Amino acid sequence: MKQQFQARRVFLKTAAVTGLALSGPAHALAAARKAAAAGDPWRQADAIAKRLANPVKFRKAEYVVTDFGAAPCQLAPVQAWISFEDQATLQTPAPGAQDCHAAFKAAIERCHAEGGGRVVIPRGDWFCAGPIVLLSNVNVHLAAGAHVYFSNDPADYAKYGDVDCGPNGKLVVSRWQSNDCLNFSSMIYARDQHNIALTGDDWTAILDGQGGVPFPGRADCWWTWKGKNATINSVAQDKSPNYVPGKLAQNQVNELNPASLADVAPGLPDEMRLLIQGAGDKWRADDAYLPALSEAGVPLARRVFGLGHYLRPPMIQLIGCTDVLLEGYQVTHTPFWQHHPVACRNLAIRNVHANSLGPNSDGFDPESCDTVLVEGCQFNTGDDCIAIKAGKNRDIQYGAARNIVIQKCTMQSGHGAVTLGSEMAGGIENVYARDLVFENMNWATNPLNTAIRLKTNMNRGGFLRNFHVHNVSIPNGVQTSPSFYAPLPGSPIEPKTVAAAAGAVVTFDCDYTPRADNVRVRPPEVRNVHISKVTVGNVRTKAGATASCYQAFVILGPVASDYNGPAPAPAVLPVRDVTITDCDFGAPANAAHPWYTYHVRGLKLSNVVIGGKRYDTTLSA
């Protein structure tokens, strides 16, 4: 057994560097490159969308899961969490419900072995106590009225992985907040597959992660593992369900993690070890320990989590896959991020309802993916609706996220509607967002925090370039009160002065949660961002005022004083080459200071209306 695990460790160490690398024909986006050379970003976006109009093709054969032993289940009522703070009576599989995991697996494997086709989950309620693993040339399809309830027992996602980690369970190669690890499987998982699809007839075809349903025999649920929320002046995001101080969670010290990095990285110089660990033992919490392993250069095979740890799996995670379609279903109550494709190429997500209001319930997080289309989707989320990622700390082997088109989508609740980062160490480029409605229908109780958002800092670094936004309607504004970020001691920025966490329509936060990262040695670079035709409406606030936001925009550039690496410090560049054109931001609540800028050069406003006043000017700060 020990020899087998050691062999797997060697394999995984190699896989972390090379096994998931992207491949594909160099000419796949020739039309897009030609458009870029011509200087027309929207022609480039058109070329990407055309490329992904029909990304997959399948053999005409159907495999119905009932032919493989699947049977629908009876339901029973359960008191469950439906958001950070709210509970309701939901339906859950009744005790003794038949587990369809084996039947789903058999249908997919037969379909794959026989050349591919469509695996059909018919109308009805289905219980699945384990992951649905997608394989090449297979389309898993949910009929209208099909509702798949995934088990709410974490142990069921540490049973079927291909890496036996002993007491931690049988785990899978995963990424958690952009760091490589061995962890619980996602509810739907694929790795290194080609020509795959997850589809539904309509939004009554539901994939249910049961993120707020209490664990068997316990009051805690997946969302409890978030721990304490530290956002200053948050709205409707103050708590994690059933969490009280002292409980183990992702941000609490886990005694299973070593007392010193020297135990897992013995060759690490003491100076670097102490920098990574920081003061005290907070670095031993799971959500800090994993980034510490990355900074220390610890290989994937030794980044073992799963049972005994508190890193929630995403609902749908696809790693190193090519030619992918996600279309026509609803996903709800997810333990963590709703969709997390990593290092995928040629991926379209179309007409999907991403509907989960729990902690970290991002709707769609493409990470280090190349050539992505997000079209016709609706997002109602407990975190960012869309958040583009590209690695964190030293885990940047998959490179940049690039060539991403977001169009004809609607956003409701969430932290940011279209967000880039915060994990972006590998860089983000060529992102096109157009023809969007940030409806924010829950503005009175659970408002959209900000509309267009960039998050990075001196740890996450990376670059953002060539980001284009056009034709965005925000009829109910965004959060009209400020949520402030907390600068580090010695910062030139005073505490509780910059509403970078929530309150602005456009937020560039290049000093995102700096207290969360002990290593701050990678200045980010942000340039060539163009925002046009954004129209923001006003609402009546609780105080009786009319407002669209707290401020129109916050552009917080990198803060040089945060750097804590060796001398000489690298250049810390301002945010530059940004234009905001033909926009009406409505009436900010902070009328005396309608915007905030720091470390910005040449921010050009052209026909920008704020509080009824037009601005045509260039700002540098």
Side-chain angles (χ1 to χ4, degrees):
M1 176 68 182
K2 183 176 180 181
Q3 288 179 336
Q4 182 183 23
F5 185 64
Q6 290 290 338
R8 285 197 176 277
R9 288 175 59 185
V10 172
F11 161 74
L12 289 165
K13 182 176 180 180
T14 303
V17 178
T18 62
L20 306 180
L22 292 176
S23 62
H27 61 274
L29 288 173
R33 294 193 184 100
K34 184 177 179 181
D40 184 345
W42 300 113
R43 281 182 57 200
Q44 187 173 9
D46 290 341
I48 294 168
K50 183 178 180 180
R51 168 73 180 82
L52 294 174
N54 296 292
V56 292
K57 289 184 179 180
F58 299 101
R59 171 174 162 263
K60 293 185 182 301
E62 286 201 346
Y63 300 77
V64 182
V65 295
T66 50
D67 294 338
F68 294 82
C73 64
Q74 297 296 312
L75 302 178
V78 62
Q79 189 73 3
W81 298 90
I82 57 172
S83 72
F84 285 78
E85 300 172 309
D86 301 315
Q87 289 184 289
T89 299
L90 301 180
Q91 296 296 306
T92 192
Q98 178 177 324
D99 175 12
C100 294
H101 173 264
F104 291 172
K105 181 176 184 288
I108 292 168
E109 289 180 346
R110 174 79 65 81
C111 179
H112 169 71
E114 294 182 354
R118 189 165 83 152
V119 172
V120 179
I121 301 176
R123 174 185 294 272
D125 299 309
W126 311 87
F127 175 56
C128 187
I132 293 176
V133 179
L134 305 181
L135 298 175
S136 293
N137 300 314
V138 175
N139 173 15
V140 173
H141 181 79
L142 281 74
H147 192 140
V148 178
Y149 293 86
F150 286 93
S151 166
N152 57 314
D153 185 346
D156 288 329
Y157 304 96
K159 288 181 179 178
Y160 302 106
D162 57 3
V163 185
D164 190 341
C165 297
N168 297 71
K170 293 182 178 180
L171 307 180
V172 299
V173 174
S174 184
R175 266 206 169 193
W176 195 87
Q177 287 194 337
S178 299
N179 288 126
D180 300 321
C181 61
L182 299 173
N183 198 20
F184 299 106
S185 175
S186 57
M187 283 83 237
I188 295 176
Y189 180 80
R191 179 173 169 224
D192 294 338
Q193 301 302 305
H194 169 73
N195 193 45
I196 58 175
L198 177 66
T199 60
D201 281 340
D202 56 36
W203 291 352
T204 66
I206 299 173
L207 297 165
D208 192 331
Q210 300 204 98
V213 176
F215 294 146
R218 297 166 57 189
D220 291 353
C221 61
W222 283 114
W223 293 345
T224 309
W225 290 6
K226 164 68 174 178
K228 180 176 171 55
N229 189 317
T231 302
I232 301 173
N233 192 32
S234 64
V235 177
Q237 295 158 8
D238 293 323
K239 303 172 184 176
S240 292
N242 210 54
Y243 181 79
V244 296
K247 275 189 178 181
L248 283 176
Q250 69 185 49
N251 58 0
Q252 301 300 307
V253 172
N254 188 336
E255 295 295 338
L256 294 179
N257 296 329
S260 171
L261 271 176
D263 295 339
V264 288
L268 191 68
D270 284 346
E271 183 179 3
M272 188 63 186
R273 177 180 59 80
L274 293 173
L275 177 63
I276 295 171
Q277 293 181 187
D281 61 355
K282 291 182 179 179
W283 72 278
R284 296 177 65 203
D286 287 337
D287 66 0
Y289 179 59
L290 177 56
L293 295 178
S294 175
E295 291 285 5
V298 175
L300 171 62
R302 301 187 67 187
R303 303 183 191 183
V304 180
F305 290 84
L307 297 174
H309 295 267
Y310 299 88
L311 300 185
R312 295 162 287 153
M315 181 77 176
I316 300 168
Q317 186 169 62
L318 314 173
I319 302 177
C321 298
T322 59
D323 298 346
V324 179
L325 175 65
L326 307 170
E327 183 173 48
Y329 56 84
Q330 178 180 173
V331 61
T332 192
H333 303 312
T334 65
F336 193 60
W337 295 351
Q338 298 182 52
H339 300 85
H340 184 205
V342 180
C344 293
R345 184 186 294 271
N346 300 337
L347 181 151
I349 178 169
R350 187 180 288 118
N351 301 326
V352 166
H353 189 192
N355 183 30
S356 182
L357 291 174
N360 304 112
S361 289
D362 294 28
F364 180 63
D365 292 44
E367 178 172 354
S368 298
C369 292
D370 190 342
T371 314
V372 177
L373 174 65
V374 189
E375 183 174 57
C377 296
Q378 179 159 297
F379 297 90
N380 191 36
T381 67
D383 208 312
D384 292 319
C385 296
I386 296 173
I388 299 169
K389 313 286 189 181
K392 184 168 178 262
N393 307 104
R394 296 173 61 185
D395 293 344
I396 59 172
Q397 68 270 29
Y398 308 139
R402 55 168 58 94
N403 303 320
I404 298 172
V405 175
I406 303 163
Q407 60 186 21
K408 302 176 184 176
C409 294
T410 301
M411 284 73 170
Q412 302 294 356
S413 301
H415 289 185
V418 173
T419 296
L420 294 89
S422 64
E423 302 87 357
M424 54 178 287
I428 300 172
E429 62 184 358
N430 307 337
V431 177
Y432 312 90
R434 62 184 175 185
D435 304 332
L436 304 172
V437 178
F438 302 160
E439 190 173 17
N440 191 23
M441 67 179 182
N442 304 311
W443 62 268
T445 57
N446 190 8
L448 191 64
N449 291 176
T450 185
I452 300 160
R453 190 181 194 194
L454 163 71
K455 301 184 292 185
T456 184
N457 62 23
M458 201 72 76
N459 169 275
R460 293 149 203 238
F463 60 80
L464 168 62
R465 57 193 180 214
N466 309 333
F467 178 33
H468 302 267
V469 179
H470 178 71
N471 194 28
V472 177
S473 174
I474 312 175
N476 295 307
V478 299
Q479 183 172 312
T480 57
S481 60
S483 291
F484 299 109
Y485 100 108
L488 290 168
S491 171
I493 299 171
E494 292 294 324
K496 296 186 179 181
T497 59
V498 183
V505 177
V506 176
T507 302
F508 286 12
D509 184 357
C510 298
D511 201 32
Y512 175 72
T513 60
R515 295 170 181 264
D517 297 305
N518 292 330
V519 178
R520 301 183 299 275
V521 298
R522 308 176 187 96
E525 181 182 8
V526 179
R527 62 180 176 86
N528 199 30
V529 178
H530 305 285
I531 298 169
S532 63
K533 205 174 179 182
V534 174
T535 304
V536 188
N538 299 314
V539 296
R540 180 71 66 177
T541 69
K542 291 181 180 179
T546 297
S548 60
C549 55
Y550 178 70
Q551 290 178 301
F553 55 85
V554 169
I555 312 294
L556 174 60
V559 179
S561 62
D562 286 1
Y563 179 79
N564 66 352
V572 180
L573 301 173
V575 174
R576 63 194 193 279
D577 302 327
V578 177
T579 65
I580 302 177
T581 307
D582 299 330
C583 294
D584 187 338
F585 288 100
N590 188 358
H593 302 284
W595 63 67
Y596 176 90
T597 58
Y598 174 85
H599 205 194
V600 180
R601 188 180 72 199
L603 168 60
K604 185 177 180 181
L605 309 183
S606 178
N607 189 27
V608 172
V609 177
I610 304 174
K613 181 179 178 180
R614 174 171 170 161
Y615 294 89
D616 296 279
T617 187
T618 299
L619 305 174
S620 295

